[in-house]
Amino acid sequence: MEKVQEKMNVLERIISIKDTLPNKQKQLCDYILNNHQDIGMFTVKEVANKASVGTTTVLRLVKLLGYDSFFDLRKDFHDIQKDYSDKWENVQKSFDSNDKKNYKTLSTVFQEGVQLMDKTLNPQLVESFNVAMDLISNAEKINILGLRPYKAIAIYLELLIEEFHSKTRQLSYDSDSMFDRILQFEKNEIFIIFSFAPDTQRAIDAAKVAYERDIPIILITDHLSCPIASYSSVILKTESSENHYTIIPIIALVESIVIELGISQSKTSIQKIQTLVNTLKDKKIIVE
């Protein structure tokens, strides 16, 4: 267990243990996961106050995570974030508070989309993306689930993949029969789940059933405190907007998955796509 823990970064360790902890410590873990970019700047007392727990709860978690002091824990958070400012700093806002009269919906939405994409693309996502693509590329079948508004994204992912990779199973259409299908999963399959705050209980239950069957889960979410995180083999975290609902970073991530999968299977994917295009032209479904 200690060797496994050593390979994890501090965020992964917190995710792996938080659901086994008492309520106050779990509350602290959730706060840290959702605010990890700032933890390196806080004192023990500040973290305790912001998480609404006692300082002893913070210190217990520090020891539980294997650190000698809060300073050592804070240093690990700093190390995770240290590349962000140089390589991945946010795109400068094109509008400032003095130009509110010039704000236009189209410009505002596009600019915020750029900022969210830049915040989403960070070293942690790149590393997790590579792990996820290894699982996807080697999977015999790709199972996909997205509920409520994310059902459309799950279907979009399936439609793109199926142009060159036929072994997919969509669970988003009928959540009533979802568990029947999960029980049919084989060991060499994977499960991609879209789950964003507020999470749905059905998606959490689906992840738990798949996890109990030893099916690798790729979680795409906007918060590391997502209940499905503890069941996941890898987490792909996107940023969400505080101003309006947007799926721009999620769509970019989905298309990156499809392109990378197509590249990894280029020997067959290019031929299949060309055959599809020729057939659609021949049947006059599309025109040049």
Side-chain angles (χ1 to χ4, degrees):
M1 181 65 178
E2 290 181 358
K3 290 183 179 179
V4 174
Q5 290 285 330
E6 287 175 3
K7 294 179 181 179
M8 296 181 178
N9 66 35
V10 59
L11 292 173
E12 292 168 335
R13 291 204 297 274
I14 292 173
I15 290 170
S16 71
I17 67 169
K18 77 180 184 75
D19 288 338
T20 66
L21 301 178
N23 287 338
K24 281 294 183 181
Q25 288 193 29
K26 184 175 185 296
Q27 178 179 320
L28 173 60
C29 288
D30 285 339
Y31 173 80
I32 292 173
L33 291 172
N34 288 327
N35 299 274
H36 64 89
Q37 292 178 332
D38 300 323
I39 298 299
M41 301 182 293
F42 294 154
T43 64
V44 172
K45 186 175 181 180
E46 287 172 332
V47 171
N49 289 339
K50 290 177 181 295
S52 299
V53 300
T55 55
T56 55
T57 300
V58 177
L59 295 175
R60 284 195 194 103
L61 182 62
V62 169
K63 295 297 183 183
L64 189 61
L65 291 170
Y67 295 95
D68 293 328
S69 68
F70 181 75
F71 175 81
D72 293 334
L73 172 67
R74 195 170 64 175
K75 182 178 181 299
D76 264 12
F77 276 107
H78 174 74
D79 289 343
I80 289 175
Q81 303 299 332
K82 66 182 179 181
D83 291 332
Y84 287 15
S85 58
D86 293 333
K87 297 181 180 179
W88 312 99
E89 68 179 10
N90 295 340
V91 174
Q92 183 177 7
K93 294 180 180 178
S94 61
F95 303 115
D96 61 38
S97 58
N98 296 323
D99 292 329
K100 287 185 178 178
K101 64 181 181 180
N102 294 324
Y103 272 34
K104 303 297 182 186
T105 299
L106 184 63
S107 297
T108 302
V109 171
F110 270 60
Q111 289 296 327
E112 184 165 6
V114 170
Q115 292 173 28
L116 288 173
M117 294 270 285
D118 192 68
K119 289 174 67 177
T120 295
L121 182 61
N122 56 55
Q124 185 178 346
L125 179 66
V126 172
E127 182 178 347
S128 298
F129 180 82
N130 291 334
V131 174
M133 289 313 306
D134 283 341
L135 291 172
I136 294 171
S137 299
N138 294 316
E140 182 65 25
K141 181 168 287 188
I142 303 169
N143 300 282
I144 307 169
L145 174 65
L147 300 178
R148 302 181 70 248
Y150 306 101
K151 175 179 179 180
I153 303 173
I155 294 171
Y156 180 55
L157 174 60
E158 177 194 27
L159 290 174
L160 292 179
I161 290 178
E162 281 199 332
E163 290 190 348
F164 58 88
H165 182 92
S166 60
K167 296 179 180 180
T168 63
R169 181 192 282 124
Q170 183 63 252
L171 279 72
S172 307
Y173 293 114
D174 184 6
S175 58
D176 289 334
S177 63
M178 179 173 62
F179 296 103
D180 303 57
R181 298 189 176 198
I182 294 174
L183 292 175
Q184 296 173 16
F185 287 4
E186 301 291 341
K187 297 295 183 183
N188 54 353
E189 300 183 19
I190 62 158
F191 196 8
I192 300 177
I193 303 178
F194 295 87
S195 187
F196 295 78
D199 304 282
T200 62
Q201 186 61 49
R202 186 148 290 197
I204 297 170
D205 293 340
K208 186 174 187 295
V209 173
Y211 174 78
E212 290 170 347
R213 293 181 59 78
D214 294 325
I215 302 299
I217 295 173
I218 297 172
L219 171 63
I220 300 177
T221 185
D222 62 345
H223 61 130
L224 291 177
S225 59
C226 174
I228 298 174
S230 58
Y231 302 133
S232 305
S233 300
V234 60
I235 303 169
L236 302 177
K237 180 183 176 296
T238 65
E239 293 293 325
S240 58
S241 171
E242 296 180 359
N243 299 319
H244 64 269
Y245 175 75
T246 178
I247 59 172
I248 290 175
I250 311 171
I251 291 297
L253 180 56
V254 162
E255 293 181 353
S256 298
I257 290 172
V258 173
I259 292 171
E260 187 66 23
L261 180 61
I263 292 172
S264 70
Q265 300 183 357
S266 59
K267 290 183 179 179
T268 57
S269 61
I270 294 174
Q271 181 181 353
K272 287 181 179 179
I273 291 175
Q274 188 59 56
T275 301
L276 172 62
V277 170
N278 291 339
T279 301
L280 293 175
K281 287 179 180 178
D282 183 59
K283 301 301 181 183
K284 303 190 184 306
I285 295 174
I286 61 174
V287 294
E288 291 183 300

